[in-house]
Amino acid sequence: MTNCGGNSDLRVVAYSILRAGGVPTVELSTDNVSFSPGDFHPQVIKHCQNLFSQGNYFHTVFEACKLYNKLVREKAISFKDGEALMMEAWGWEIGVLKVTACQTDTDKNVQDGIKFLSAGLMRAMRNPTAHEPALDWPITKEDCLDMLSFVSFLFRQLDKAVYYKSIT
C-alpha cells in the first residue's frame, strides 16, 4: 500500500471510518503480506476476511477449519467429526467423497492424498485452535495466509467431489 504522500495518519482515519461503516476492508500494512480475496476460495473469504482484517489470525484459522469440517460432514452425510470424518469420507476404497474415478494407481494416490491432507488439517490446524488458548498457540499473519491457502485448496477439492456410495 502506498503512503498517500506521507500522511499515514490519514490512512488510519480512513480505515477506521470504513470499518465503522461496515465496509469490508483489508488490514493496513506496510509490508507485502495481506489478505487478497482473489487468492482464496469464496467460503474462506466469506467466513475469514473480517477476522483476518482485525488481526485475529488464530480465530481466522479456526473458523476456516471448522467450516471445512462442517461442509465435508454435510456433503459426506456423516455424523463423524475431525480426523475420523476425513479418513472415512475421503478414502478411495470406502469413502463417499470422490475427486477421481479411483481406478488407476494415480487416481487412488490423489484420493488418498486428499484424505490425508484433510486429516492433517484437522490434527495440525483445527485441533490446536480448538483446544489451546490463543496466547499459548500464536499464529502469525504469514502462517495464517499459508493456512488459508491450504484450506482453500481443500475447499476446491470438496467443490469437485461427488458423493458416491458403493453397494457392497
Side-chain angles (χ1 to χ4, degrees):
M1 186 172 225
T2 60
N3 194 318
C4 295
N7 194 347
S8 61
D9 290 339
L10 181 60
R11 288 187 316 160
V12 172
V13 171
Y15 180 76
S16 297
I17 292 169
L18 290 171
R19 285 198 48 215
V23 176
T25 59
V26 295
E27 181 177 84
L28 284 177
S29 175
T30 56
D31 60 21
N32 290 326
V33 181
S34 63
F35 191 104
S36 177
D39 294 339
F40 301 109
H41 186 275
Q43 290 287 0
V44 171
I45 296 165
K46 178 181 177 183
H47 292 269
C48 300
Q49 186 173 13
N50 246 7
L51 287 167
F52 183 88
S53 69
Q54 296 165 2
N56 293 324
Y57 308 128
F58 178 92
H59 293 99
T60 300
V61 170
F62 187 36
E63 199 65 19
C65 294
K66 288 188 306 182
L67 182 63
Y68 181 73
N69 187 80
K70 177 184 181 214
L71 296 182
V72 169
R73 184 185 303 129
E74 288 173 1
K75 194 163 190 174
I77 311 169
S78 176
F79 293 104
K80 291 199 174 185
D81 184 62
E83 180 184 8
L85 168 66
M86 303 307 160
M87 295 299 282
E88 179 182 271
W90 289 109
W92 69 265
E93 290 183 287
I94 61 168
V96 295
L97 299 181
K98 305 294 187 196
V99 292
T100 73
C102 297
Q103 298 297 310
T104 68
D105 285 343
T106 299
D107 287 348
K108 294 171 186 176
N109 286 334
V110 169
Q111 189 70 38
D112 264 353
I114 300 303
K115 172 180 73 176
F116 290 121
L117 289 171
S118 295
L121 173 76
M122 295 297 113
R123 284 193 136 202
M125 295 180 205
R126 195 223 35 193
N127 288 353
T129 55
H131 301 291
E132 296 296 329
L135 291 177
D136 292 347
W137 198 263
I139 296 176
T140 66
K141 179 177 13 175
E142 293 80 7
D143 285 347
C144 178
L145 289 168
D146 288 344
M147 291 177 190
L148 293 179
S149 292
F150 178 66
V151 177
S152 288
F153 168 78
L154 291 175
F155 271 121
R156 284 191 294 280
Q157 301 312 300
L158 182 60
D159 288 346
K160 293 189 295 189
V162 296
Y163 181 87
Y164 175 80
K165 183 137 180 136
S166 66
I167 301 169
T168 52

